[in-house]
Amino acid sequence: MTIALRRARPADCELLFEWVNSPDSLASKLLTREPIARHDHDAWFEARLADPDSAIWIAELGGVPVGQVRFMLRDGAYDVDVYIDPPHRGSGAAAAALTQAIEEFRPVAGKDAIFRARIKNDNQMSVRLFEKLGFRLTARSAENLTYIL
Protein backbone atom coordinates (compact mmCIF):
# COMPACT_ATOMS: atom_id res chain seq x y z
CA MET A 1 0.00 0.00 0.00
CA THR A 2 1.32 3.40 -0.97
CA ILE A 3 0.05 6.11 1.32
CA ALA A 4 0.87 9.70 0.47
CA LEU A 5 1.20 11.96 3.48
CA ARG A 6 0.79 15.71 3.36
CA ARG A 7 0.59 18.39 6.00
CA ALA A 8 -2.91 19.51 6.90
CA ARG A 9 -3.98 22.89 5.60
CA PRO A 10 -6.90 25.19 6.44
CA ALA A 11 -9.10 23.55 3.78
CA ASP A 12 -8.90 20.26 5.75
CA CYS A 13 -10.82 21.69 8.71
CA GLU A 14 -14.18 20.37 7.48
CA LEU A 15 -12.85 16.86 6.85
CA LEU A 16 -11.24 16.64 10.28
CA PHE A 17 -14.41 17.99 11.87
CA GLU A 18 -16.40 15.18 10.24
CA TRP A 19 -13.88 12.54 11.28
CA VAL A 20 -13.56 13.65 14.91
CA ASN A 21 -17.34 13.65 15.32
CA SER A 22 -17.94 10.31 13.63
CA PRO A 23 -19.43 7.73 16.02
CA ASP A 24 -16.43 5.37 15.62
CA SER A 25 -14.00 8.18 16.42
CA LEU A 26 -15.95 9.32 19.49
CA ALA A 27 -16.16 5.72 20.72
CA SER A 28 -12.37 5.42 20.80
CA LYS A 29 -11.57 8.81 22.38
CA LEU A 30 -10.33 8.93 25.95
CA LEU A 31 -11.48 12.43 26.81
CA THR A 32 -14.17 13.32 24.28
CA ARG A 33 -17.53 11.63 24.77
CA GLU A 34 -19.90 13.99 22.93
CA PRO A 35 -19.67 15.59 19.49
CA ILE A 36 -17.45 18.64 19.35
CA ALA A 37 -19.10 21.96 18.48
CA ARG A 38 -18.07 23.46 15.16
CA HIS A 39 -16.73 26.73 16.62
CA ASP A 40 -14.67 24.80 19.20
CA HIS A 41 -13.21 22.56 16.52
CA ASP A 42 -12.41 25.47 14.22
CA ALA A 43 -10.57 27.34 16.99
CA TRP A 44 -8.71 24.18 18.01
CA PHE A 45 -7.70 23.42 14.40
CA GLU A 46 -6.47 26.96 13.77
CA ALA A 47 -4.40 26.82 16.97
CA ARG A 48 -2.91 23.44 16.00
CA LEU A 49 -1.85 24.70 12.57
CA ALA A 50 -0.15 27.70 14.19
CA ASP A 51 1.52 25.68 16.97
CA PRO A 52 5.14 24.68 16.21
CA ASP A 53 4.78 21.87 18.78
CA SER A 54 1.90 20.29 16.85
CA ALA A 55 1.72 18.67 13.45
CA ILE A 56 -1.18 17.20 11.51
CA TRP A 57 -0.91 15.14 8.35
CA ILE A 58 -3.58 13.90 5.98
CA ALA A 59 -3.02 10.39 4.66
CA GLU A 60 -4.16 9.90 1.08
CA LEU A 61 -4.60 6.88 -1.12
CA GLY A 62 -4.84 7.70 -4.81
CA GLY A 63 -5.38 11.37 -3.94
CA VAL A 64 -8.34 10.58 -1.66
CA PRO A 65 -8.03 11.36 2.07
CA VAL A 66 -8.23 8.16 4.14
CA GLY A 67 -7.01 9.33 7.53
CA GLN A 68 -4.93 11.62 9.66
CA VAL A 69 -1.94 11.52 12.00
CA ARG A 70 -1.40 14.18 14.65
CA PHE A 71 1.38 14.92 17.13
CA MET A 72 0.96 17.40 19.99
CA LEU A 73 3.65 18.16 22.54
CA ARG A 74 2.39 17.63 26.11
CA ASP A 75 4.45 17.14 29.24
CA GLY A 76 7.67 16.50 27.32
CA ALA A 77 6.28 13.93 24.87
CA TYR A 78 4.45 14.08 21.56
CA ASP A 79 0.97 12.64 21.99
CA VAL A 80 0.03 10.60 18.94
CA ASP A 81 -3.44 10.51 17.42
CA VAL A 82 -4.22 8.35 14.39
CA TYR A 83 -7.55 8.09 12.60
CA ILE A 84 -8.23 5.96 9.54
CA ASP A 85 -11.58 6.08 7.78
CA PRO A 86 -13.40 2.77 8.44
CA PRO A 87 -13.29 1.42 4.85
CA HIS A 88 -9.47 1.58 4.96
CA ARG A 89 -8.86 0.03 8.38
CA GLY A 90 -6.88 -3.17 8.45
CA SER A 91 -5.21 -2.28 5.15
CA GLY A 92 -1.90 -1.10 6.58
CA ALA A 93 -2.80 2.56 6.05
CA ALA A 94 -2.37 3.48 9.72
CA ALA A 95 1.06 1.85 9.99
CA ALA A 96 2.24 3.45 6.74
CA ALA A 97 0.94 6.90 7.68
CA LEU A 98 2.28 6.84 11.24
CA THR A 99 5.69 5.55 10.13
CA GLN A 100 5.98 8.31 7.52
CA ALA A 101 4.84 10.99 9.96
CA ILE A 102 7.42 9.94 12.57
CA GLU A 103 10.18 9.87 9.94
CA GLU A 104 9.21 13.34 8.72
CA PHE A 105 8.78 14.85 12.18
CA ARG A 106 11.78 13.28 13.95
CA PRO A 107 14.25 15.90 12.61
CA VAL A 108 11.94 18.68 13.84
CA ALA A 109 11.25 17.08 17.22
CA GLY A 110 14.81 15.92 17.81
CA LYS A 111 16.37 12.47 17.83
CA ASP A 112 15.49 11.96 21.50
CA ALA A 113 11.84 12.97 21.09
CA ILE A 114 9.32 10.71 22.79
CA PHE A 115 6.14 9.74 20.99
CA ARG A 116 3.31 8.67 23.30
CA ALA A 117 0.04 6.94 22.46
CA ARG A 118 -2.77 6.67 24.98
CA ILE A 119 -5.50 4.27 23.93
CA LYS A 120 -8.51 2.60 25.45
CA ASN A 121 -7.84 -0.87 26.86
CA ASP A 122 -10.28 -2.50 24.46
CA ASN A 123 -8.91 -0.87 21.29
CA GLN A 124 -7.11 -3.96 20.02
CA MET A 125 -6.55 -2.54 16.54
CA SER A 126 -4.54 0.34 18.02
CA VAL A 127 -2.69 -2.02 20.39
CA ARG A 128 -1.58 -4.07 17.37
CA LEU A 129 -0.60 -0.92 15.44
CA PHE A 130 1.60 0.56 18.15
CA GLU A 131 3.21 -2.74 19.09
CA LYS A 132 3.92 -3.48 15.42
CA LEU A 133 5.72 -0.14 15.10
CA GLY A 134 7.90 -0.75 18.16
CA PHE A 135 6.04 1.29 20.75
CA ARG A 136 6.34 -0.27 24.19
CA LEU A 137 3.67 -0.45 26.85
CA THR A 138 4.70 1.77 29.78
CA ALA A 139 1.49 2.21 31.78
CA ARG A 140 -1.87 0.57 32.25
CA SER A 141 -4.90 1.94 34.06
CA ALA A 142 -8.49 0.83 34.38
CA GLU A 143 -9.38 2.80 31.25
CA ASN A 144 -6.31 3.12 29.07
CA LEU A 145 -2.89 1.93 28.00
CA THR A 146 0.11 4.16 27.39
CA TYR A 147 2.66 3.27 24.74
CA ILE A 148 5.98 5.07 24.17
CA LEU A 149 8.38 5.15 21.26
Side-chain angles (χ1 to χ4, degrees):
M1 163 166 298
T2 303
I3 290 289
L5 206 61
R6 66 168 175 79
R7 286 293 188 113
R9 48 189 179 241
D12 295 314
C13 188
E14 177 69 28
L15 176 64
L16 293 175
F17 178 72
E18 290 174 17
W19 281 343
V20 76
N21 282 322
S22 67
D24 64 300
S25 178
L26 290 171
S28 67
K29 298 285 184 207
L30 291 175
L31 301 176
T32 306
R33 302 275 192 255
E34 300 294 324
I36 297 168
R38 182 59 195 241
H39 67 280
D40 291 338
H41 178 268
D42 290 354
W44 172 89
F45 184 68
E46 185 177 325
R48 293 294 65 74
L49 290 182
D51 182 359
D53 291 326
S54 295
I56 304 172
W57 291 267
I58 303 297
E60 296 181 331
L61 184 60
V64 176
V66 298
Q68 66 92 34
V69 174
R70 182 180 73 241
F71 302 144
M72 290 177 52
L73 185 62
R74 283 196 187 129
D75 303 322
Y78 287 94
D79 282 343
V80 177
D81 182 83
V82 179
Y83 178 82
I84 299 296
D85 208 19
H88 301 282
R89 291 184 188 156
S91 68
L98 182 53
T99 298
Q100 288 180 48
I102 290 170
E103 288 173 2
E104 182 177 320
F105 198 66
R106 177 79 65 190
V108 174
K111 67 179 178 76
D112 296 325
I114 297 168
F115 294 89
R116 176 179 51 218
R118 292 183 177 128
I119 59 175
K120 284 187 172 180
N121 290 337
D122 62 353
N123 189 340
Q124 288 305 303
M125 190 170 274
S126 288
V127 167
R128 286 190 299 275
L129 168 67
F130 290 110
E131 289 180 352
K132 174 183 178 179
L133 296 183
F135 283 69
R136 60 185 169 77
L137 181 64
T138 59
R140 180 185 308 263
S141 74
E143 292 185 17
N144 67 298
L145 307 169
T146 301
Y147 283 88
I148 299 288
L149 177 70

